[in-house]
Amino acid sequence: MAEEPAASDVLSLDELEAVSGARTGRRHLLSVLVENKPGVLARIAGLFSRRGFNIETLAVGPTDDPTVSRITLTVDGAAHPIDQVTKQLHKLVNVLKIRDLDPDETVTRELALFKVSADDGRRAEIVGVADIFRGKVIDVSKRSVTVEITGTGAKIEAFEELVRPFGLVELVRTGETAVTRGRLVT
Amino acid sequence: MRAVDAIVECLKAEGVDTVFGIPGGANLPTYDALYDGGVRHILCRHEQGAGHAAEGYAKASGRVGVALATSGPGATNLTTAIADAVMDSVPCVFITGQVRTDMLGTDGFQEADVTGITMPIVKHSSMIRDPRDIPREIHEAFHIARTGRPGPVLVDIPQDLSRADIDYEPNPALQLPGYQPKSEGNVKQIRLAAKALANARRPVIYAGGGVVSAEAAAELTELCTSDRFPVTLTIMGLGAFPAPHEQWLGWLGMHGTRAANYAMDEADLICAIGARFDDRVTGKLAEFAPRAKFIHIDVDPAEISKNVPAHIPIVGDAKRILPKLVREYRALEADSSRLDAWWERIHGWQERYPLTYEDSDDEEIKPQFMIEAIHEATGGEAIITSDVGQHQMWTAQYYPFSAPRRWINSGGLGTMGFGLPAALGAQVANPEATVVCVAGDGSLPMNVQELATCVMEDIPVKVFLMNNFYLGMVRQWQELFWGRRYSAVDMGTSPDWVKLADAFGATGLRATEKSTLLDTMRQAIETPGPVVLDVHVSKEENVYPMIPAGAAARDMVG
Ligand SMILES: Cc1ncc(C[n+]2csc(CCOP(=O)(O)OP(=O)(O)O)c2C)c(N)n1
């Protein structure tokens, strides 16, 4: 038998652990900076569909730099390995930067418009609920009232639950957008 | 200068000597510039042929292949080649004509949304919107096609923009802020990988086409022989490690050797280099290499942990990483004798299950015999392309490749009809080489029109047709898994391949007997110009060994 190699050279293969490729089990909010060029959104949407990744929400808008747009999207980390999603996104040449936002370090907001049926004298009640949620009444008609709610997805869902019994005619949501807390750039 | 003249200047600046394609209305301006632009244009007979020719050119030379097509049907005809190139990471630039900008979106004559159609099958694409961007976009296309993980890039140019006058400045600055492929590899990870290799008792090095793309065959061999590491390659990697070598296990996967597949199955450490754990390699994923830890070296971070979770991921260029890994490994002075027991086990498999077949005892030509004859007739020195099917598997099994870029096949997409146009492109890139296309009688008709291109352009490829009168691979699956119900696999006896070759102006030859096969092959190779040699082989031979689809390595049959 040869001599044992020096202690620092010994490595039991059992100690090695697989890195990444795992499902995290939680929802992930990805903030993606992309070049503001035609077709970029189509590339991202196409990538998600052909790889079988499901986008839960998606919000797109300009940034302070006119050549750059920001796409904020949420993906279910129970269904997909998030590192695969981000690595595939990174392969798109027009994708500049991806942040998988830490929920504790992030402020998220979404805007929702609720059109609630209000034809039997229940308008005051609905406005009352909207007030509690700091909602804004933005349109009133004989048979409906439309309320704007801004907040986290959870807040919007809570409001939805409360107004549903009145008769929800329509609900329009923008999808969440987000920014990191503090001085740190998203 | 006209934008199209700038395109030709860009091609020359990129070192392109030859392009393949077919003109039409939307790319007429480009063809006008090519008329006396100083770049050789090879007029193919179908855009798919032009696309595969560009791939063959790229695969044989390591340079970027270029194909041109007009809008609409010209561009859609290219799509199979584009998909093929993305699956096998082939560096290609496809330049398509598009309808005039004032017609875009109006369903104008020969309009097709080519950037949309090809979006899922390109590494990158762009449609020109400002003619002043054309030179930069062309250079960016080349840069993206050849760097990082190579792949196809498409540039779609509306006809009116290609006619615009622009100020052409050579070498415009690239604007690719989101594209920065990594090359060096993390030093700590490389050190850890060396340590893992030094402590493994049943290691296997498993390398793929990425090593060929990275021009890292010598570096791979250096790593493998820095100890007595057993080596297997994917079918895409053949030639990256010299086949006749005592550490060579044969290739792995569905029709690989038992020794290679069993070694993966029992390995305690697998070092994957430029390979992507394709399902044809792993078989049933849940039972793949159940005892192994994985080092995974790849230039594409998304490949790492995509199919098989890696324990030591290293992102970068194999050509840069492997020498560092060798240095780190050597410094550890690992004791080679730890591998004795492992080699004993591997030798046992190699002795028990050699790659072999039962030869006929009469004049019948067995397909495997045909491949061995090709090896003999070419001295093992030819560039071999192949179509898709049984003949492809037998070629990979029975033609040992001793150097990279000699084996050119469609591995990822499995495109029948790839072989002839790819051979055409490979021959253009290597005018002095013997280029043989091992064709299938089902596959060859799919791009046989390129024989005309070979004749007209004096491209002397040798097509060795393995004629079993069947869609053989499909017939094999029907025999084994569908109760011998041979549905739609009989190719009959049409065409007469000798007459067809003759009609194209090529030479047609036929071989039906074992005893004269080798001589006829030599005659084919010595005959100037393109040749089709129709070899009649056993009709119902099967490719073995085989891991049935979805089964594990342990369940190899035949
Ligand atoms: C374009 C295309 N169509 C269909 C297939 C499915 N397919 C795979 S192998 C095969 C048979 C190939 O027959 P042949 O070229 O005669 O080769 P052989 O298997 O007989 O050697 C077929 C139809 C394919 N791979 N590509």
Side-chain angles (χ1 to χ4, degrees):
Chain A
M1 264 312 271
E3 254 182 293
E4 281 288 316
S8 66
D9 298 341
V10 179
L11 171 81
S12 164
L13 294 182
D14 295 336
E15 292 166 29
L16 294 172
E17 278 187 36
V19 286
S20 69
R23 286 167 173 62
T24 60
R26 67 173 172 88
R27 238 168 111 257
H28 288 252
L29 197 58
L30 304 180
S31 183
V32 184
L33 287 178
V34 300
E35 288 184 83
N36 181 12
K37 284 192 173 168
V40 174
L41 188 61
R43 282 178 212 272
I44 290 181
L47 169 69
F48 271 76
S49 79
R50 81 171 175 276
R51 297 265 171 203
F53 306 145
N54 188 25
I55 304 179
E56 297 196 335
T57 73
L58 174 79
V60 192
T63 63
D64 49 313
D65 178 346
T67 66
V68 174
S69 305
R70 183 186 303 280
I71 299 178
T72 307
L73 43 87
T74 53
V75 187
D76 182 2
H80 315 297
I82 293 297
D83 70 307
Q84 239 325 286
V85 175
T86 55
K87 286 192 287 192
Q88 292 293 351
L89 275 174
H90 259 305
K91 285 175 69 170
L92 297 176
V93 169
N94 302 124
V95 169
L96 301 171
K97 191 176 149 194
I98 303 172
R99 279 280 296 261
D100 180 0
L101 297 171
D102 178 346
D104 296 335
E105 296 294 325
T106 309
V107 189
T108 68
R109 284 294 178 271
E110 179 172 3
L111 186 141
L113 304 177
F114 289 83
K115 189 178 288 180
V116 188
S117 116
D119 40 7
D120 49 356
R122 304 185 70 182
R123 184 170 302 132
E125 248 182 285
I126 296 165
V127 173
V129 179
D131 279 345
I132 297 169
F133 280 77
R134 294 175 196 238
K136 247 195 272 172
V137 175
I138 56 170
D139 183 53
V140 179
S141 77
K142 245 193 232 159
R143 300 176 49 208
S144 72
V145 54
T146 301
V147 179
E148 170 195 323
I149 300 283
T150 310
T152 61
K155 177 176 166 186
I156 287 163
E157 274 140 37
F159 183 76
E160 180 187 347
E161 207 170 301
L162 287 178
V163 295
R164 200 170 266 289
F166 294 97
L168 190 55
V169 181
E170 219 172 355
L171 165 57
V172 180
R173 298 175 64 165
T174 60
E176 272 181 323
T177 189
V179 73
T180 49
R181 290 182 191 278
R183 181 74 177 75
L184 207 70
V185 173
T186 307
Chain B
M1 156 187 310
R2 292 185 306 177
V4 285
D5 296 316
I7 294 176
V8 175
E9 289 310 309
C10 292
L11 293 177
K12 288 195 277 193
E14 291 291 349
V16 174
D17 53 20
T18 310
V19 298
F20 306 88
I22 300 184
N27 67 355
L28 264 171
T30 308
Y31 274 83
D32 187 67
L34 282 169
Y35 181 73
D36 50 6
V39 171
R40 180 179 182 196
H41 177 271
I42 292 182
L43 174 61
C44 291
R45 269 35 177 191
H46 188 299
E47 289 85 355
Q48 185 190 355
H52 292 320
E55 285 188 275
Y57 178 94
K59 285 193 180 200
S61 67
R63 302 200 296 272
V64 177
V66 181
L68 314 178
T70 191
S71 66
T76 57
N77 271 352
L78 270 182
T79 50
T80 301
I82 300 174
D84 194 88
V86 83
M87 288 293 266
D88 286 348
S89 306
V90 191
C92 288
V93 169
F94 297 103
I95 303 175
T96 48
Q98 181 55 275
V99 299
R100 293 195 320 258
T101 45
D102 61 329
M103 277 171 47
L104 278 173
T106 67
D107 304 319
F109 178 63
Q110 293 196 326
E111 177 177 8
D113 174 8
V114 174
T115 45
I117 289 168
T118 58
M119 202 169 273
I121 52 170
V122 291
K123 181 172 175 186
H124 188 58
S125 60
S126 65
M127 194 214 270
I128 301 294
R129 282 158 207 273
D130 181 337
R132 291 169 300 179
D133 293 340
I134 289 177
R136 178 177 51 78
E137 297 257 14
I138 297 277
H139 285 299
E140 286 175 358
F142 276 87
H143 177 70
I144 293 169
R146 80 157 74 84
T147 53
R149 178 179 182 170
V153 181
L154 179 130
V155 184
D156 196 30
I157 310 181
Q159 201 254 23
D160 53 330
L161 303 189
S162 73
R163 303 177 72 156
D165 244 325
I166 60 169
D167 289 328
Y168 172 67
E169 288 280 338
N171 301 316
L174 307 188
Q175 292 171 16
L176 297 169
Y179 180 74
Q180 286 130 2
K182 272 201 198 162
S183 64
E184 290 306 321
N186 181 303
V187 178
K188 268 196 207 149
Q189 292 289 90
I190 294 173
R191 197 161 294 154
L192 184 62
K195 224 158 129 177
L197 282 167
N199 285 276
R201 299 190 157 259
R202 297 187 309 280
V204 176
I205 291 180
Y206 146 60
V211 173
V212 178
S213 304
E215 304 287 358
E219 290 79 0
L220 174 71
T221 305
E222 185 78 13
L223 172 69
C224 298
T225 53
S226 66
D227 206 328
R228 290 178 304 142
F229 293 123
V231 193
T232 182
L233 296 170
T234 68
I235 200 169
M236 294 310 298
L238 294 182
F241 185 82
H245 190 289
E246 58 192 15
Q247 284 167 244
W248 169 240
L249 305 183
W251 50 283
L252 83 170
M254 185 171 274
H255 292 296
T257 63
R258 271 197 161 74
N261 285 315
Y262 287 1
M264 294 292 276
D265 185 59
E266 292 194 7
D268 64 353
L269 182 73
I270 289 171
C271 180
I273 308 166
R276 59 186 177 88
F277 297 92
D278 174 77
D279 57 275
R280 276 345 194 214
V281 160
T282 62
K284 190 175 184 181
L285 206 51
E287 290 174 31
F288 172 67
R291 299 154 192 84
K293 304 283 172 145
F294 295 93
I295 301 168
H296 195 171
I297 302 172
D298 205 291
V299 75
D300 179 358
E303 280 310 330
I304 289 172
S305 297
K306 184 181 80 178
N307 294 339
V308 171
H311 300 80
I312 308 177
I314 305 176
V315 177
D317 179 353
K319 195 169 181 73
R320 314 293 295 245
I321 292 169
L322 296 183
K324 295 184 213 172
L325 182 54
V326 169
R327 222 171 305 132
E328 294 288 343
Y329 183 76
R330 290 225 163 97
L332 294 172
E333 297 181 357
D335 176 8
S336 246
S337 67
R338 76 188 187 289
L339 304 177
D340 288 351
W342 183 219
W343 271 112
E344 209 171 296
R345 184 127 182 92
I346 291 171
H347 287 146
W349 293 321
Q350 287 175 323
E351 272 154 38
R352 207 150 359 121
Y353 310 110
L355 198 56
T356 167
Y357 64 97
E358 205 174 308
D359 200 2
S360 62
D361 44 23
D362 51 16
E363 283 290 354
E364 180 179 331
I365 301 171
K366 286 284 181 132
Q368 302 92 331
F369 181 90
M370 170 179 168
I371 304 300
E372 289 175 333
I374 298 176
H375 189 256
E376 195 167 335
T378 58
E381 295 287 317
I383 294 174
I384 306 285
T385 74
S386 114
D387 279 321
V388 167
Q390 292 182 310
H391 60 283
Q392 174 190 24
M393 297 302 132
W394 280 315
T395 309
Q397 286 180 334
Y398 289 93
Y399 193 107
F401 290 93
S402 52
R405 302 203 180 279
R406 295 224 182 121
W407 165 237
I408 295 172
N409 83 132
S410 165
L413 197 66
T415 309
M416 289 169 69
F418 172 84
L420 173 57
L424 184 168
Q427 183 82 74
V428 169
N430 297 272
E432 304 305 321
T434 301
V435 179
V436 174
C437 164
V438 182
D441 55 309
S443 299
L444 186 56
M446 293 197 183
N447 275 315
V448 72
Q449 76 285 346
E450 299 310 328
L451 266 183
T453 313
C454 293
V455 170
M456 297 305 290
E457 294 279 344
D458 198 14
I459 300 166
V461 301
K462 314 301 173 195
V463 179
F464 288 1
L465 173 62
M466 183 182 282
N467 195 347
N468 55 15
F469 304 91
Y470 271 125
L471 295 173
M473 186 57 97
V474 179
R475 186 208 55 74
Q476 172 169 346
W477 282 50
Q478 289 174 346
E479 177 187 331
L480 298 179
F481 310 117
W482 297 86
R484 284 181 179 270
R485 286 156 59 90
Y486 289 172
S487 176
V489 289
D490 188 348
M491 290 297 290
T493 53
S494 172
D496 179 325
W497 289 101
V498 174
K499 282 189 185 151
L500 188 76
D502 192 45
F504 273 110
T507 304
L509 297 170
R510 182 166 288 131
T512 55
E513 290 178 355
K514 205 158 70 181
S515 54
T516 53
L517 177 63
L518 192 58
D519 281 343
T520 316
M521 279 183 180
R522 291 201 166 112
Q523 184 193 341
I525 290 168
E526 277 151 27
T527 304
V531 176
V532 177
L533 169 56
D534 176 22
V535 183
H536 292 194
V537 300
S538 322
K539 288 190 71 173
E540 299 200 11
E541 185 80 3
N542 289 338
V543 182
Y544 288 124
M546 175 177 196
I547 305 175
R554 276 284 141 200
D555 307 326
M556 271 202 116
V557 296

